[in-house]
Amino acid sequence: MRDPRRRDDGQVTIEFLGMTPLIILTLVLMWQFVLLGYTYTLAGNAADEAARAGTEVPNGGARQAACQQAGLDKLPDAWSGTVECDTAGGYVTATVKLEVPVLFPGAIGFPFDVEGHAGAVEEVKD
């Protein structure tokens, strides 16, 4: 007759194999939330840099170019986006729109954009 204490041999292995897909899914979702948060951070930082660069250049086309270039320079190659700059009433604003990558930066992105906004007061130079 079999020992009744030995009836659950291998039970931990079976339970682990059953939980493995749930563990992997949880890790993938956590990673995706990290990428989403990092994209928000990148958008905000790029907008800050773009607005700051826009205040250092006299008004006109050069300001737009400097603002956009400064915003794009602060983005890693894997994150694609656009930088829009505007000047009104002595205030320079920048809006950066970035695509949130799906699992791997530089691959496909979600169909929505993350936006970062920033503004800075124009510097008066004598």
Side-chain angles (χ1 to χ4, degrees):
M1 187 170 238
R2 280 186 78 176
D3 185 6
R5 292 177 292 164
R6 307 270 304 160
R7 288 185 8 208
D8 61 355
D9 281 354
Q11 185 66 30
V12 172
T13 303
I14 298 297
E15 288 175 1
F16 178 74
L17 288 175
M19 290 298 293
T20 299
L22 185 59
I23 293 168
I24 291 172
L25 179 66
T26 302
L27 291 175
V28 166
L29 287 174
M30 287 175 53
W31 174 245
Q32 191 58 53
F33 281 120
V34 167
L35 286 177
L36 178 67
Y38 187 57
T39 304
Y40 270 105
T41 302
L42 286 175
N45 183 51
D48 285 340
E49 293 293 332
R52 189 173 302 122
T55 63
E56 297 171 356
V57 178
N59 203 357
R63 172 177 283 175
Q64 292 289 338
C67 181
Q68 290 174 345
Q69 187 63 36
L72 292 174
D73 283 347
K74 298 302 175 185
L75 297 175
D77 293 336
W79 271 263
S80 61
T82 60
V83 178
E84 297 174 11
C85 301
D86 190 29
T87 303
Y91 195 66
V92 178
T93 60
T95 301
V96 177
K97 294 180 183 178
L98 297 179
E99 208 174 65
V100 179
V102 177
L103 294 183
F104 301 103
I108 61 173
F110 281 110
F112 63 89
D113 292 332
V114 165
E115 290 187 7
H117 303 283
V121 177
E122 288 185 64
E123 297 177 7
V124 178
K125 295 183 180 180
D126 295 323

